[in-house]
Amino acid sequence: MTSFKEKVIAIVQSAPYGKVVSYGQVAAYLGMPRGARQVGWILNATENSPGLLPWWRVVNNVGYLSIRGTKYHDKKLQRKLLVSEGVKVSEDFLLPMSVYRYRPSIDELKKFQLGKEYVDFLITKYRL
DNA sequence: ATAATGACATGTT
DNA sequence: TAACATGCCATTA
């Protein structure tokens, strides 16, 4: 069972310590370039199994912590966790994507089992 | 089955 | 620049 949810988890887990990834990126690496919103949905509904899912490394495309506050997580905690990893997040919950965006290598992308042409598309989109 | 609800992204005003 | 509108699709009710 390689459900959407499991893929989301796998991709988010690939985001390294001290880096962040956008919802759109996660969706794109899933092979669903317009599924950003669904990624957020999954994270919102998934209870954080301690240490298994680095949900705090997912932000929106402009570097803003767009989480509104849910039963499991909240914006302030996310900021705290990111800061603890060395990511500089401003008081208004904004961080510079140009500095912290996770840019997977080609090999890492292959791990997600995507077609060659699609990989090329991702490269132009996120300038890997 | 159908409709409503989002931790989004992008294009247009 | 910032606000608004629209497309998106997994999940729930």
Side-chain angles (χ1 to χ4, degrees), chain A residues 4 8 12 22-28 30 32 35-44 58:
Chain A
F4 182 84
V8 169
V12 173
S22 76
Y23 298 93
Q25 271 181 278
V26 175
L30 280 178
M32 196 173 299
R37 212 167 175 177
Q38 292 63 258
V39 172
W41 213 103
I42 295 298
L43 296 181
N44 171 49
V58 186

Side-chain angles (χ1 to χ4, degrees), chain A residues 24-25 28-29 33 101-110 114-128:
Chain A
Q25 271 181 278
Y29 301 155
R101 188 194 292 277
Y102 165 47
R103 295 169 189 288
S105 66
I106 305 298
D107 281 344
E108 287 174 300
L109 284 179
K110 284 179 180 173
L114 304 166
K116 180 186 179 306
E117 293 178 10
Y118 188 71
V119 170
D120 288 339
F121 160 71
L122 292 179
I123 290 174
T124 59
K125 176 158 186 165
Y126 293 110
R127 321 107 219 223
L128 301 180

Side-chain angles (χ1 to χ4, degrees), chain A residues 29-92:
Chain A
Y29 301 155
L30 280 178
M32 196 173 299
R34 290 161 215 178
R37 212 167 175 177
Q38 292 63 258
V39 172
W41 213 103
I42 295 298
L43 296 181
N44 171 49
T46 303
E47 185 173 7
N48 183 23
S49 314
L52 290 184
L53 184 64
W55 57 269
W56 57 90
R57 295 184 192 141
V58 186
V59 302
N60 77 16
N61 203 41
V62 297
Y64 182 69
L65 278 47
S66 54
I67 169 174
R68 296 198 179 194
T70 67
K71 44 179 171 178
Y72 303 125
H73 320 301
D74 68 82
K75 198 186 287 185
K76 290 165 74 175
L77 172 60
Q78 182 175 19
R79 179 169 184 276
K80 192 175 110 184
L81 288 166
L82 285 172
V83 170
S84 76
E85 297 189 348
V87 178
K88 296 180 64 177
V89 185
S90 69
E91 289 297 329
D92 51 339

